Amino acid sequence: MRVWIDADACPRVAKDLVIKFALKRNFEVLLVAGQSQVRPAFACVRLIVVPSGPDAADDYLVEHAAPGELVICSDIPLADRLFKKGVAALDPRGREFDERNMGERLALRNLLSDLRDQGQMGGGQPPYGERERQAFANALDRLLVRLGR
């Protein structure tokens, strides 16, 4: 079992939770980033720095993650590509990407992107707090159990 993390965009709290689960359940964590990062000093964690460029980390994740594995990412188009390949995807706030919500999430993402481009909307995600951390931990636990079967 391997869990991949789109490390450039993932909150540190979520990365730390995945590593905690990995230490307890004995799986590998692969941090994929477009820039160098501090790699936690655990044998189960590997840092992969890809060449910089648009979507380089996304392309690497899609190419290397395999069905039955999990990718932690916030990027909805990336999650769609992974989902179509049979790879499970979970955002750091505990929302799983699946067949029931993928179309809706892509449509909403495109709408909000258009509104931001037109200057009609600003901002991004709300702060990552205890509620988000707990939702992520619960969803991660459920997914790991399901994928481990």
Side-chain angles (χ1 to χ4, degrees):
M1 172 68 174
R2 296 188 301 182
V3 174
W4 301 79
I5 300 176
D6 183 359
D8 290 325
C10 188
R12 182 181 174 97
V13 173
K15 287 183 224 176
D16 291 346
L17 268 170
V18 173
I19 293 166
K20 183 177 176 180
F21 274 78
L23 292 168
K24 192 183 286 187
R25 297 181 184 192
N26 196 30
F27 61 81
E28 184 178 18
V29 176
L30 298 118
L31 304 169
V32 179
Q35 55 191 349
S36 186
Q37 299 188 3
V38 176
R39 182 186 73 80
F42 299 106
C44 66
V45 180
R46 200 170 81 190
L47 175 63
I48 301 163
V49 180
V50 297
S52 63
D55 298 326
D58 295 1
D59 293 341
Y60 187 93
L61 286 163
V62 171
E63 184 178 333
H64 291 90
E69 296 179 336
L70 173 62
V71 176
I72 309 299
C73 66
S74 299
D75 186 313
I76 297 169
L78 168 60
D80 185 51
R81 291 171 64 193
L82 292 163
F83 176 74
K84 288 176 180 169
K85 187 180 172 185
V87 177
L90 177 68
D91 81 8
R93 294 172 178 272
R95 297 175 298 228
E96 183 179 358
F97 296 93
D98 61 26
E99 68 277 354
R100 296 168 304 185
N101 66 22
M102 187 56 71
E104 178 184 324
R105 289 181 79 169
L106 275 169
L108 181 59
R109 178 243 181 226
N110 292 338
L111 172 65
L112 295 176
S113 181
D114 288 346
L115 291 173
R116 278 191 295 276
D117 289 347
Q118 296 170 12
Q120 296 181 23
M121 186 177 168
Q125 297 255 11
Y128 194 88
E130 183 57 32
R131 172 187 275 162
E132 291 77 16
R133 188 196 75 74
Q134 190 60 51
F136 177 68
N138 292 339
L140 179 61
D141 182 48
R142 281 192 309 272
L143 259 172
L144 290 173
V145 168
R146 190 176 81 217
L147 292 171
R149 291 184 190 149

